[in-house]
């Protein structure tokens, strides 16, 4: 007897091929039958005629490792159909922890939720703690190179010593043995930005030896995009490991169109036999921390030292100059050097998490500056002091055509770059990027159904089978006998995102049923409260 029988849906199995109407049977968390199951008995039956049944979506690039501690129900992701999140991205993970530099690690986090006490030291102890109280969805974890660097040498802005490099390598090796899937970098964020390519290669080899992959938020997404892609490919080639290029985009109007060139570099590397894939999100705005707008040297020594510089007249003047000065020169063809703020434009920077200055939230930095009769750069530095080095922004800086080009490419999957949030409680107090609520329904509704940038089977493949392949999860991301019963039922005619930049805490429509490890988490569009997810471990 089956535990669950889903009848009459159009099944898109995650491979990218067109589906057909059929039934799927589940027993003990596993898909045990696919076909005509009209004569099979089941404890529960679901009529899904007119709907699509797909594998649960895998969010290849998420930052929920922090938010899941206070939101194990994972509302904003599970209601999109996400059944697995890949966390520990952009060079930052909550483990491993070294007591000497614990304050630096805490300071680097924009938000430390209740219960996240950093009592663990090893990566394995951290995963055990995360797994202890249940989760609405599954979690696959990367180890952040920035976290490894903090554990070995804090926020020192220099090359590591031989001993420090050895510490990073041994901590990564131990984390891989504990079940991590690979190493991530965030090369626009200190302290990862202080690392040269050779350091990254040497550390990454510890993951490569254990069949892990390298995921990189690259060193440049604007004028230096192509150099950054080449650097990521170089790490993969020299460390002999697969490469995942995170949220592929070209930032800043002068750089629009460069995604096509970046895809050519990826194609060339793949033709040479290197396993290179990428992910992207379906929006023309990005989001990051407020302090990322500063030059990376301003973070030398950690957040506390950054704040000292902002309070010091000489330090503030130096930071101010770096933010407002455009530099040219260097060898022929060298890109112009300018701050992220100048590249984006003050009017295109929206403040979205300013806990100390609620009057600034949801407003452009240029507006806040005008209201306070300050220059935009001074308004930014004042806000950083008021927010004690925290705060977040949305940057309107990308081109729609670049995203469509990326999505259509066979080596590009979907990753939200968001978190598991909720529209009530502490997480509803800011105005986050709408991608945390809308990424996957937006791809299905806007780019598959309306714009036809990809077919619906292709879109589902980019959310299921393709990321599962990158993770080496042979029993997830597909619908077949023997696969885990992570499943989503959606209405292909209605599915769409509803979250906006001005009103981001809005659930999508059309996601009707979400099943994790054989258990309903979303039933008839509502959260059941079940927590059947688990921390997955790389084998």
């Amino acid at each position: 007897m089956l535990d669950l029988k889903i009848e009459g849906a159009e099944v898109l199995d995650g491979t990218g091929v067109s589906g057909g109407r059929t039934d799927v049977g589940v027993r003990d968390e596993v898909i045990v039958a696919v076909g005509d199951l009209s004569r099979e008995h089941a404890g529960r039956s679901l009529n899904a005629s007119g709907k699509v049944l797909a594998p649960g979506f895998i969010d290849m690039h998420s930052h929920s490792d922090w938010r899941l501690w206070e939101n194990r129900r994972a509302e904003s992701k599970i209601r999109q159909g996400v059944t697995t999140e890949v966390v520990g991205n952009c060079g930052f993970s909550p483990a491993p922890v070294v007591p000497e530099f614990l304050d630096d690690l805490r300071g680097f986090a924009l938000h430390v939720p209740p219960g996240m006490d950093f009592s663990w030291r090893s990566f394995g102890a951290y995963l055990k703690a995360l797994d202890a109280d249940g989760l609405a969805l599954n979690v696959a974890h990367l180890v952040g190179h920035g976290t490894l660097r903090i554990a070995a040498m804090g926020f020192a802005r220099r090359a590591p010593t031989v001993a420090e490099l050895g510490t990073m390598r041994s901590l990564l090796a131990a984390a891989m043995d504990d079940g991590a899937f690979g190493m991530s970098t965030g090369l626009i964020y200190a302290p990862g930005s202080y690392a040269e390519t050779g350091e990254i290669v040497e550390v990454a080899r510890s993951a490569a030896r254990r069949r892990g992959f390298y995921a990189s938020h690259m060193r440049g997404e604007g004028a230096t995009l192509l150099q950054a892609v080449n650097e990521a490919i170089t790490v993969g080639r020299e460390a002999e490991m697969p490469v995942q290029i995170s949220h592929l985009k070209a930032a800043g109007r002068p750089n629009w169109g460069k995604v096509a060139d970046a895809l050519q570099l990826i194609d060339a590397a793949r033709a040479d036999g290197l396993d290179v894939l990428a992910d992207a999100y379906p929006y023309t705005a990005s989001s990051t921390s407020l302090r990322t707008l500063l030059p990376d040297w301003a973070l030398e020594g950690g957040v506390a030292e950054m704040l000292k510089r902002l309070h010091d007249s000489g330090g503030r003047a130096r930071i101010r100059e770096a933010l407002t000065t455009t530099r040219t020169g260097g060898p022929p063809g060298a890109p112009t050097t300018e701050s992220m703020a100048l590249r984006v434009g003050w009017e295109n920077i929206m403040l979205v998490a300013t806990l100390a200055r609620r009057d600034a939230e949801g407003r452009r930095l240029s507006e806040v500056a005008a209201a306070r009769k300050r220059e935009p750069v001074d308004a930014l530095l004042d806000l950083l002091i008021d927010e004690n080095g925290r705060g977040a922004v949305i940057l309107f800086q990308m081109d729609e055509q670049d995203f469509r080009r990326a999505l259509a490419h066979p080596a590009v999957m979907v990753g939200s770059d968001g978190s598991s949030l909720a529209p009530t409680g502490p997480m509803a107090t800011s105005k986050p990027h709408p991608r945390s609520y809308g990424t996957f329904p937006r791809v299905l509704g806007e780019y598959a159904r309306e714009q036809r940038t990809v077919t619906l089977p292709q879109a589902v493949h980019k959310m299921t089978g393709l990321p599962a392949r990158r993770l080496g999860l042979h029993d997830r991301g597909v619908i077949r006998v023997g696969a885990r019963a992570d499943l989503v039922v959606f209405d292909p005619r209605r599915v769409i995102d509803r979250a906006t930049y001005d009103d981001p805490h809005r659930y999508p429509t059309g996601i009707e049923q979400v099943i994790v490890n054989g258990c309903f988490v979303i039933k008839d569009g509502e959260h059941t409260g079940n927590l059947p997810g688990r921390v997955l471990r790389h084998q």
Side-chain angles (χ1 to χ4, degrees), residues 95-176:
V97 175
V98 171
E100 179 184 357
F101 295 114
L102 175 57
D103 288 342
D104 286 314
L105 188 63
R106 280 182 175 274
F108 193 51
L110 290 180
H111 173 69
V112 179
M116 195 173 193
D117 58 7
F118 291 92
S119 58
W120 51 82
R121 294 295 175 262
S122 71
F123 202 80
Y126 159 71
L127 292 182
K128 184 177 180 180
L130 179 61
D131 210 14
D133 295 325
L135 297 160
L137 40 64
N138 303 308
V139 173
H141 223 299
L142 300 171
V143 184
H145 164 258
T147 296
L148 296 172
R149 212 174 199 273
I150 290 171
M153 54 193 295
F155 274 79
R157 187 168 166 256
R158 56 171 173 77
T161 65
V162 172
E164 289 165 345
L165 187 63
T167 296
M168 286 187 265
R169 293 180 64 176
S170 62
L171 288 173
L172 177 56
M176 292 297 302

Side-chain angles (χ1 to χ4, degrees), residues 14 67 77 80 157 225 229 296 319 374 398 444 459 522:
R67 292 299 190 176
K77 290 295 187 67
Q80 293 184 58
R157 187 168 166 256
L225 170 63
V229 171
D296 69 350
I319 293 171
R374 301 280 280 168
M398 281 102 75
L444 295 172
I522 300 298

Side-chain angles (χ1 to χ4, degrees), residues 102-423:
L102 175 57
D103 288 342
D104 286 314
L105 188 63
R106 280 182 175 274
F108 193 51
L110 290 180
H111 173 69
V112 179
M116 195 173 193
D117 58 7
F118 291 92
S119 58
W120 51 82
R121 294 295 175 262
S122 71
F123 202 80
Y126 159 71
L127 292 182
K128 184 177 180 180
L130 179 61
D131 210 14
D133 295 325
L135 297 160
L137 40 64
N138 303 308
V139 173
H141 223 299
L142 300 171
V143 184
H145 164 258
T147 296
L148 296 172
R149 212 174 199 273
I150 290 171
M153 54 193 295
F155 274 79
R157 187 168 166 256
R158 56 171 173 77
T161 65
V162 172
E164 289 165 345
L165 187 63
T167 296
M168 286 187 265
R169 293 180 64 176
S170 62
L171 288 173
L172 177 56
M176 292 297 302
D177 291 341
D178 286 335
F181 283 76
M183 186 186 84
S184 74
T185 51
L187 298 181
I188 69 167
Y189 304 112
S193 57
Y194 302 153
E196 299 292 336
T197 307
E199 172 190 327
I200 300 166
V201 170
E202 285 303 313
V203 177
R205 283 179 174 143
S206 289
R209 292 190 184 100
R210 292 158 177 82
R211 297 177 292 104
F213 67 94
Y214 171 62
S216 183
H217 180 139
M218 299 177 295
R219 204 178 292 271
E221 298 172 328
T224 60
L225 170 63
L226 302 185
Q227 294 96 313
V229 171
N230 274 323
E231 182 184 33
I233 291 170
T234 295
V235 172
R237 181 174 289 116
E238 294 189 5
E240 299 182 356
M241 65 195 307
V243 175
Q244 182 72 24
I245 292 176
S246 296
H247 34 67
L248 181 65
K249 60 179 178 282
R253 184 177 292 272
N255 305 304
W256 290 359
K258 286 185 178 179
V259 165
D261 300 317
L263 290 169
Q264 287 181 358
L265 293 176
I266 291 171
D267 285 338
R270 289 171 59 81
D272 284 344
L274 189 63
D275 183 3
V276 184
L277 298 173
D279 53 77
Y281 49 79
Y283 298 90
T284 55
S286 60
S287 185
T288 190
S289 63
L290 189 62
R291 61 179 178 246
T292 303
L293 298 174
L294 301 187
D296 69 350
W297 52 258
L299 270 291
E300 183 176 0
V303 174
E305 291 300 313
M306 177 198 77
L307 290 170
K308 287 181 182 179
R309 293 184 182 98
L310 291 174
H311 282 287
D312 174 71
S313 59
R316 181 178 175 118
R318 186 181 172 211
I319 293 171
R320 192 182 192 281
E321 180 185 17
L323 288 172
T324 56
T325 303
T326 299
R327 292 180 172 82
T328 57
T336 299
T337 301
E338 60 183 358
S339 69
M340 184 185 296
L342 286 184
R343 185 189 75 205
V344 176
W346 301 108
E347 71 283 1
N348 293 319
I349 301 173
M350 179 179 175
L351 298 155
V352 295
T354 50
L355 298 180
R357 299 302 302 264
R358 290 293 188 193
D359 61 307
E361 201 165 83
R363 302 173 68 189
R364 306 300 174 105
L365 194 48
S366 55
E367 295 177 273
V368 173
R372 298 181 184 180
K373 297 181 172 54
R374 301 280 280 168
E375 290 294 319
V377 63
D378 293 310
L380 166 63
L381 301 183
D382 292 345
L383 278 165
L384 274 166
I385 291 173
D386 292 342
E387 298 296 323
N388 200 31
R390 291 183 166 87
V393 291
I394 289 175
L395 308 174
F396 296 89
Q397 59 174 338
M398 281 102 75
D399 178 44
E400 171 83 5
Q401 181 56 36
D402 271 340
F403 170 71
R404 288 199 295 264
R405 184 178 289 115
L407 183 65
H409 194 279
V412 178
M413 65 195 71
V414 178
S416 74
D417 201 20
S419 297
S420 283
L421 304 179

